Amino acid sequence: MGNKNSCCAYSTPPSRRKDAPQNFEEYLPEGEESIGNLQHISEREIEDWDTDPSLHPKAGTLFLERSKISLENGLSRKKSQNHISELRGSGLKKSSSCSTIYLDDSTVSQPNLKNTVKCVSLAIYYHIKNRTSERYMEIFDEKKHPLTRDGVPQDYDQHNPEHRQIYKFIRTLFNSAQLTAECAIITLVYLERLLTYADIDITPGNWKRIVLGAILLSSKVWDDQAVWNVDYCQILKDITVEDMNELERQFLEMLQFNINVPSSVYAKYYFDLRSLAEANDLAFPGEPLSKERAQKLEAMSRICEDRITAEALKNGLKKWSSLDNVNAMGNIAPRRSVAILS
């Protein structure tokens, strides 16, 4: 990845505006710098990594910042009738008590699929709604590369899609390809990395192909049994394998073949998605803690405690004893316990 010569036979066209003529970036010999908007990884300054939310764990996510713009202006997404009825029927917010503990079934290691896809769709919705420009690339233009034979209407790039429209598109792909919730989070990471690296915007005219490219790549990186490009052609009946291959190739090139997602970045996106859900009344529903799940959590805690104890003994540290086993004449040290999060 440190070489300046690309391992691809073709170069990626630079991003352009709708009123700008199309120019293509020529192949660069050794030692020269690119003149387009797309920088090579060797040309990026070290300081750039500190502000890249898809790489640096302390850099704020783009979708959360853009969602705050609408919330500060008093604007929010349109809620469906089902969502409104759920809010009215739910009454007071469920809170844990001495007799009942409420927990949702989503954790950072095992997110809830439906709720995660909803949150990712909402993040993309705010990306489109609060974009600051109209920079785009031809490979993502839905009019020049339609996903259906019917094509797109003349004003396809004039109206922002609603949250439920984005959710329906992503849900169809995830259900048909049997993708996991973790894959949805990685999709959002790759999408924001694309917007940062290639200096383009996600708009009403290109959001479907950008999301499709991110899902295609994340499923191959995350899942052990990845979905092939030809399988997506069975889901989207009118798209060709050649188009899918070209979309994947250019997406990878615009990411500069950097598909690594640190665990700290993954966790940051997960918790920011939860913050986004809470701010938009999409909080994950809590269920009473059942006896079976309590036993499962207890077993997980015991396994973790045994592992930590084994590591402590291996390092020469003495295992803490209960007060019943401590000699009354000995020195009693304060007991420590391990906090377990699941």
Side-chain angles (χ1 to χ4, degrees):
M1 292 179 62
N3 297 330
K4 292 187 178 180
N5 293 333
S6 173
C7 63
C8 291
Y10 305 95
S11 58
T12 303
S15 61
R16 58 191 179 90
R17 298 179 184 273
K18 294 184 178 181
D19 55 352
Q22 180 178 359
N23 296 319
F24 292 92
E25 182 180 350
E26 298 179 354
Y27 183 81
L28 297 175
E30 182 75 18
E32 293 190 12
E33 295 184 355
S34 61
I35 58 176
N37 291 333
L38 181 60
Q39 289 180 310
H40 191 272
I41 188 172
S42 60
E43 301 170 19
R44 294 176 64 85
E45 299 293 340
I46 298 180
E47 292 79 4
D48 294 344
W49 304 105
D50 296 336
T51 59
D52 187 353
S54 67
L55 287 176
H56 199 281
K58 293 185 179 180
T61 53
L62 299 180
F63 71 86
L64 198 59
E65 293 296 328
R66 296 193 178 184
S67 67
K68 293 178 181 178
I69 298 177
S70 296
L71 297 177
E72 290 174 355
N73 295 333
L75 303 176
S76 60
R77 65 182 180 90
K78 293 182 179 179
K79 298 180 176 64
S80 63
Q81 294 298 325
N82 293 334
H83 187 202
I84 294 176
S85 60
E86 289 177 0
L87 291 177
R88 290 176 178 175
S90 60
L92 299 177
K93 182 179 178 180
K94 296 180 181 179
S95 300
S96 300
S97 63
C98 297
S99 59
T100 306
I101 300 177
Y102 288 96
L103 294 176
D104 61 63
D105 61 347
S106 181
T107 62
V108 66
S109 59
Q110 293 181 338
N112 178 276
L113 176 60
K114 181 178 180 181
N115 292 330
T116 302
V117 171
K118 279 187 177 182
C119 293
V120 171
S121 305
L122 185 59
I124 297 174
Y125 166 79
Y126 281 119
H127 264 297
I128 300 174
K129 181 178 181 180
N130 296 325
R131 66 188 183 278
T132 56
S133 58
E134 299 286 340
R135 301 168 299 177
Y136 79 107
M137 299 188 71
E138 182 178 316
I139 186 62
F140 300 123
D141 192 346
E142 194 176 346
K143 186 174 184 179
K144 296 184 178 180
H145 301 276
L147 299 179
T148 61
R149 295 179 182 177
D150 299 334
V152 293
Q154 294 295 329
D155 58 347
Y156 74 104
D157 57 347
Q158 302 298 322
H159 305 288
N160 294 334
E162 295 295 337
H163 173 222
R164 59 179 175 270
Q165 181 182 353
I166 302 174
Y167 169 69
K168 182 179 179 180
F169 177 78
I170 299 178
R171 182 192 61 187
T172 301
L173 293 176
F174 269 72
N175 290 345
S176 301
Q178 297 181 353
L179 302 179
T180 61
E182 296 89 344
C183 185
I185 298 177
I186 302 297
T187 295
L188 184 58
V189 175
Y190 286 159
L191 187 147
E192 294 204 343
R193 186 172 297 177
L194 174 74
L195 302 182
T196 303
Y197 281 26
D199 290 331
I200 63 175
D201 297 284
I202 183 168
T203 66
N206 66 10
W207 71 269
K208 285 186 178 180
R209 289 184 61 85
I210 289 181
V211 171
L212 176 61
I215 293 176
L216 171 66
L217 189 57
S218 62
S219 64
K220 291 186 175 182
V221 172
W222 182 262
D223 292 337
D224 295 332
Q225 296 180 346
V227 182
W228 291 16
N229 291 2
V230 66
D231 296 326
Y232 286 99
C233 297
Q234 301 297 325
I235 302 174
L236 304 171
K237 301 293 185 179
D238 299 331
I239 195 171
T240 62
V241 179
E242 292 76 15
D243 187 17
M244 292 292 296
N245 293 341
E246 182 65 13
L247 176 64
E248 180 186 9
R249 185 190 68 80
Q250 291 205 28
F251 202 108
L252 266 173
E253 188 175 342
M254 281 180 276
L255 291 187
Q256 302 168 15
F257 301 94
N258 184 6
I259 57 176
N260 178 52
V261 179
S263 58
S264 56
V265 171
Y266 171 87
K268 176 187 67 176
Y269 272 80
Y270 169 80
F271 287 109
D272 279 1
L273 284 172
R274 292 194 67 121
S275 300
L276 179 69
E278 184 176 355
N280 288 268
D281 296 328
L282 278 178
F284 296 359
E287 298 294 337
L289 179 63
S290 62
K291 180 179 179 181
E292 292 76 12
R293 191 176 182 191
Q295 292 175 344
K296 183 179 179 180
L297 293 175
E298 184 179 1
M300 292 172 59
S301 302
R302 189 180 302 111
I303 293 174
C304 184
E305 184 176 3
D306 293 343
R307 185 175 67 251
I308 294 177
T309 301
E311 293 177 355
L313 294 176
K314 183 178 179 180
N315 295 330
L317 300 178
K318 185 178 180 181
K319 180 180 178 181
W320 294 104
S321 301
S322 63
L323 290 178
D324 297 334
N325 299 328
V326 174
N327 191 334
M329 300 300 296
N331 296 326
I332 301 178
R335 186 181 180 185
R336 299 179 183 177
S337 60
V338 182
I340 303 301
L341 300 179
S342 62

